[in-house]
Each structure stands twice: as structure tokens, then as C-alpha cells.
């Protein structure tokens, strides 16, 4: 199978769609010989922060000498980004082999798997073929019925910050959503959770008790920032002092605390992770398009904030890293997101809004977004392409005003490429 054939198979129209449930995935994995059963996992669910937390954990395990797989979604530019071992994307040849094997298995199924199920199966096959010592596995949607949840009991089940998203599927209250996320908690594992409120913690404790799992919450009261700049931040957590993190924003410090708590669990389960590996792994961790500084003069920041909770974190980061400054926003949103709440939070920070259309059938058109912002009294223009939007944003910046790209991860890959190529 050639690369174009592999990509056509993965993205074929007939295979698309989101249909929660594990029956198809279990059948597909059985047809592949259940490669996931040969792997050891750290399973990560949540609404926000699961990608950042996952990449920190993978970076720490790699620094500790483990051959570490990392499965995340979505990708920004190439599908290869979803499958990484020790920080490197899957090579094209390996991607083709994994796709070919999954296609052969899927062709015999009466109920065809979805695109995400295909990708997840490819990841399991790749990591097993490469004999990874550990796999950090990010959930796609929810937890209980997500395709990734066909794995055996993970070494740790990590649940990051949760919010009200996908409510029609996951529930209309935080405890209901927590219960769906907690579907990744299995007997014998340790659940490491992000403190949200007492009601959510009670759900986690209840499920751990029911399933014979251990519950542990991160202790944010022991988290202390030492210093921060656009180059990075330093912090303490419990007995770990003066740690360095290049992921920016106070929310990333909380994600780092969750990762450190998970590392302590892995140590208790026999993993050898010295303090030097913890420090090196945290410092080396990079997660694209999460308040990522793309250039310094003027500052251009990419942040895939795509829901009100993410935008709230972005606003707090602007207050911390660019205090009192107006910015030029390079913005695109999906129509099915709560973009009115998101934009209301961003409006006070905007000198101008450059509107784009994300590459998604769910996108709100740039012209419609522009009209909405103008009706709110904000200066806004629309552009046809990310490259055109970047050029316009840099012109409006005048070499001084910061530029912030946000609103949809579907845009971030194109914007990053345009900024870094100087187009």
C-alpha cells in the first residue's frame, strides 16, 4: 500500500462518522490479533489538557529510557503526528503497513469501523510491532465508549480538567460527564484526577471503589509558580522544586502537577523514573498550538482554544504574558461550538480580528464570523486562506502588536506553516 492509498483508506467517506460503542472496535482488534493486549498503557481522558498532559508524560518516560508510544488527536498537518515513538512521528512506510493490516481486517466486517477506530487500531498495531515499553494513550471523545477503551487495565487512568462539552453525548452536568470520562478506570489501576469540585471528586471516588481501583487527586495547593516569561516557566510541586516547563500558561502548571502525580504512581508500580528524567522530560515537552510562541518580533502565538473553557485559559495567559496589551486575533471557529461565549471573552483584548474559515464541514464561514464581530463593534476583516490571514495580521501588527491565532485546531497547522515559512 502506497501513502496516497493509505490516506485514502483512512479518510474514505464511507468510513467517516462518530458512532460511540465498542463492538466494532473489539471485533476489529480481534481480527488483528489483539495487539493492544501486549502493551502497557497510561490512559488519558478529559475535556481540556489531555494532549498537553499526555505529551509531558511521554516526554518523561522517554527521558527515563523507556521506548514510549504517544497516541493523540487531532493532527495539525499530517496524520503521522498522531502516532509518535520517543517524540518522532510514525514513518510513512510504517503508517502504510499499519493501514494495510487494518484494511485487511476491516474489509471482512459487516459493520464498518469509523475513521477514529481505524486510526486507533493502526496505533495499537504500530506500537506493538515496535515493542514499546509504554504507551500514553489519549482518549478521543468521552471515555467509557471511546475506541481507545478496548485496552486492558492501564497502569494509570488519568483524567484531566473537564467541562461542559459534547453534552448531548456525555451528559449535561459535570458529574455526568465525569462518569463518562471515568469509564477508563478499570480494576487494579490507579486513577489520577484533576480536582474540579467536590461533586466530581465524589464520582471518581465512587467509581474507583466499585471497580477495585485506587483514587488519587492532584494537590494543587502545593503548586507554586516561581517565574514566567514567553520563554517558559519555573515552578514547585510538592517536594519537587524549581522545575522548568516550556509549555506556557498557569493551566499548564496544573497539567504538569497531574503528570507528576502520575509519575509517582508509575514509580510505585515499579517504573524506574529518576528525578533527572522528570526534570528533563518536563523541560523537553512541547505541544504544538497550545499558547505556542511561533516568533518573537512581533510575538505571534498559536493557541488551539476552541471552547469557552480553553478561551478562559487563553485570556488568563494573555493577562499574564501580555499584560495590558491589545492583540490582533487570527480567528476561525466551528459553528457547533459556543463561539458567542468565546468571542465575548476575547473582545476586550482585540485590536482587530482577522477571520478565517477552518477546514471542517462544521466551520462557521469567515464572512459570517466577520459580520458577527462587526455587529459587536469589533474591527474585523475576512481572508480566504491562512497564509493571507497571517500576512494581514502581521501588517496590522506594525511589527509591534502581538498576533494571537486561536478558535479552532483545524486552522493551527496551516497558520503554523505560514508563520514559520515566512509566507
Amino acid at each position: 500500500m502506497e501513502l496516497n492509498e493509505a490516506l485514502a483508506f483512512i479518510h474514505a467517506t464511507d468510513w467517516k462518522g462518530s458512532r460511540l460503542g465498542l463492538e466494532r472496535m473489539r471485533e476489529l482488534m480481534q481480527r488483528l490479533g489483539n495487539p493492544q493486549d501486549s502493551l502497557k498503557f497510561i490512559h488519558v481522558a478529559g475535556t481540556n489538557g489531555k494532549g498537553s498532559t499526555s505529551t509531558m508524560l511521554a516526554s518523561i518516560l522517554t527521558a527515563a529510557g523507556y521506548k514510549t508510544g504517544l497516541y493523540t488527536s487531532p493532527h495539525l498537518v499530517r496524520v503521522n503526528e498522531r502516532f509518535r515513538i520517543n517524540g518522532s512521528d510514525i514513518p510513512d512506510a510504517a503508517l502504510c503497513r499499519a493501514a494495510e493490516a487494518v484494511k485487511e481486517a476491516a474489509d471482512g466486517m459487516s459493520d464498518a469501523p469509523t475513521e477514529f477506530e481505524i486510526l486507533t487500531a493502526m496505533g495499537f498495531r504500530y506500537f506493538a510491532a515496535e515493542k514499546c515499553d509504554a504507551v500514553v494513550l489519549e482518549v478521543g471523545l468521552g471515555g467509557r465508549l471511546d475506541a481507545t477503551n478496548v485496552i486492558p487495565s492501564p497502569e494509570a487512568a488519568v483524567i484531566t480538567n473537564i467541562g461542559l462539552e459534547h453534552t448531548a453525548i456525555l451528559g449535561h452536568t459535570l458529574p455526568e460527564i465525569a462518569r463518562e470520562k471515568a469509564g477508563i478506570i478499570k480494576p487494579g489501576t490507579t486513577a489520577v484526577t484533576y480536582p474540579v469540585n467536590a461533586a466530581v471528586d465524589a464520582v471518581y471516588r465512587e467509581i474507583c471503589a466499585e471497580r477495585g481501583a485506587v483514587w488519587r487527586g492532584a494537590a494543587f495547593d502545593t503548586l507554586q509558580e516561581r517565574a514566567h516569561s514567553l520563554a517558559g516557566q519555573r515552578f514547585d510541586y510538592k517536594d519537587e522544586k524549581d522545575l522548568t516547563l516550556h509549555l506556557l500558561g498557569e493551566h499548564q502548571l496544573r497539567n504538569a502537577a497531574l503528570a507528576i502525580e502520575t509519575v509517582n504512581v508509575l514509580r510505585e508500580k515499579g517504573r524506574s523514573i529518576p528525578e533527572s528524567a522528570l526534570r528533563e522530560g518536563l523541560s523537553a515537552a512541547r505541544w504544538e498550538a497550545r499558547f505556542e510562541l511561533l516568533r518573537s518580533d512581533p510575538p505571534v502565538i498559536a493557541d488551539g482554544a476552541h471552547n469557552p473553557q480553553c478561551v478562559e485559559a487563553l485570556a488568563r495567559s494573555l493577562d499574564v504574558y501580555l499584560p495590558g496589551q491589545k492583540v490582533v486575533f487570527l480567528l476561525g471557529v466551528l459553528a457547533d461550538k459556543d463561539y458567542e461565549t468565546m468571542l465575548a471573552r476575547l473582545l476586550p483584548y482585540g485590536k482587530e480580528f482577522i477571520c478565517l474559515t477552518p477546514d471542517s464541514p462544521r466551520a462557521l464561514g469567515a464572512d459570517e464570523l466577520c459580520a458577527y464581530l462587526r455587529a459587536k463593534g469589533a474591527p474585523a476583516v475576512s481572508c480566504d486562506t491562512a497564509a493571507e490571514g497571517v500576512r494581514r495580521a502581521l501588517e496590522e501588527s506594525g511589527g509591534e502588536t502581538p498576533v494571537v491565532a486561536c478558535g479552532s485546531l483545524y486552522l493551527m497547522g496551516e497558520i503554523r506553516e505560514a508563520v514559520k515559512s515566512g509566507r
Side-chain angles (χ1 to χ4, degrees):
M1 183 179 281
E2 300 295 325
L3 181 61
N4 62 333
E5 295 174 309
L7 296 178
F9 162 65
I10 292 167
H11 302 310
T13 303
D14 290 345
W15 302 81
K16 287 191 175 181
S18 176
R19 293 179 289 149
L20 292 179
L22 297 177
E23 296 81 8
R24 290 178 307 280
M25 192 64 187
R26 289 189 178 121
E27 180 184 350
L28 180 59
M29 297 317 299
Q30 186 173 12
R31 288 169 173 266
L32 286 166
N34 286 317
Q36 77 280 9
D37 290 349
S38 67
L39 297 165
K40 294 184 177 180
F41 293 95
I42 298 90
H43 206 179
V44 184
T47 304
N48 297 313
K50 59 182 184 290
S52 299
T53 304
S54 294
T55 202
M56 289 183 216
L57 286 167
S59 184
I60 292 166
L61 285 164
T62 299
Y66 293 103
K67 188 174 187 178
T68 307
L70 173 63
Y71 179 67
T72 58
S73 61
H75 58 273
L76 298 183
V77 179
R78 303 182 74 218
V79 72
N80 305 56
E81 299 164 25
R82 295 175 181 243
F83 320 95
R84 290 176 174 169
I85 294 179
N86 291 356
S88 297
D89 295 353
I90 184 174
D92 288 348
L95 181 111
C96 291
R97 287 194 297 272
E100 188 168 14
V102 173
K103 183 179 188 305
E104 184 177 342
D107 279 347
M109 294 174 59
S110 58
D111 187 7
T114 67
E115 179 177 301
F116 186 72
E117 288 166 347
I118 288 168
L119 289 164
T120 303
M122 288 171 56
F124 290 149
R125 187 187 184 281
Y126 174 57
F127 297 135
E130 293 296 320
K131 296 181 170 54
C132 286
D133 301 314
V135 174
V136 182
L137 182 69
E138 181 189 351
V139 165
L141 173 64
R144 181 175 64 93
L145 297 176
D146 186 74
T148 62
N149 208 27
V150 295
I151 65 170
S153 290
E155 292 183 80
V158 184
I159 304 178
T160 66
N161 197 14
I162 65 169
L164 296 175
E165 189 174 35
H166 302 295
T167 52
I169 299 171
L170 303 179
H172 295 275
T173 68
L174 290 180
E176 287 175 347
I177 291 172
R179 193 168 293 278
E180 286 295 316
K181 305 288 186 184
I184 68 170
I185 299 173
K186 295 182 173 71
T189 193
T190 298
V192 186
T193 65
Y194 186 111
V196 176
N197 59 39
V200 168
D201 282 352
V203 170
Y204 296 145
R205 287 197 303 269
E206 173 195 334
I207 289 175
C208 284
E210 288 175 354
R211 297 178 189 168
V214 176
W215 175 75
R216 183 176 299 180
F220 290 161
D221 58 332
T222 70
L223 183 62
Q224 181 65 49
E225 180 194 79
R226 283 175 171 255
H228 68 264
S229 71
L230 284 174
Q233 46 190 341
R234 293 187 294 114
F235 69 102
D236 302 335
Y237 180 69
K238 289 187 173 179
D239 295 331
E240 305 288 352
K241 305 299 183 185
D242 202 22
L243 299 163
T244 298
L245 186 68
H246 290 99
L247 303 182
L248 303 179
E250 61 179 357
H251 59 290
Q252 295 292 13
L253 296 184
R254 292 191 289 272
N255 293 332
L258 196 64
I260 294 168
E261 205 65 61
T262 305
V263 165
N264 290 334
V265 167
L266 298 176
R267 286 167 170 165
E268 293 167 7
K269 291 178 178 282
R271 294 275 187 189
S272 176
I273 307 174
E275 183 181 353
S276 59
L278 174 68
R279 291 179 175 277
E280 179 186 340
L282 283 173
S283 181
R286 299 292 188 275
W287 192 226
E288 297 89 348
R290 277 71 174 182
F291 208 79
E292 177 190 14
L293 184 67
L294 301 181
R295 60 179 278 181
S296 300
D297 187 22
V300 178
I301 294 164
D303 190 290
H306 61 282
N307 61 35
Q309 201 170 12
C310 289
V311 166
E312 181 60 38
L314 170 60
R316 290 197 300 268
S317 293
L318 292 175
D319 289 337
V320 170
Y321 293 97
L322 301 171
Q325 297 187 58
K326 294 278 189 176
V327 307
V328 176
F329 280 111
L330 193 54
L331 184 71
V333 300
L334 300 184
D336 59 0
K337 297 290 185 179
D338 185 6
Y339 64 86
E340 294 182 357
T341 298
M342 293 161 57
L343 295 175
R345 188 69 176 91
L346 295 178
L347 280 170
Y349 298 90
K351 175 186 176 184
E352 183 164 355
F353 292 83
I354 313 295
C355 301
L356 299 170
T357 304
D359 183 16
S360 168
R362 297 152 51 205
L364 185 72
D367 290 341
E368 188 175 350
L369 175 60
C370 183
Y372 179 86
L373 286 163
R374 287 175 176 171
K376 296 294 182 182
V381 297
S382 62
C383 291
D384 292 331
T385 67
E388 180 188 346
V390 167
R391 286 195 298 271
R392 179 66 184 261
L394 291 174
E395 288 171 5
E396 293 300 323
S397 133
E400 296 181 358
T401 304
V403 175
V404 177
C406 65
S408 173
L409 274 172
Y410 288 95
L411 275 174
M412 293 303 111
E414 295 176 73
I415 289 171
R416 290 178 80 253
E417 291 289 303
V419 172
K420 289 185 177 293
S421 68
R423 288 183 287 159

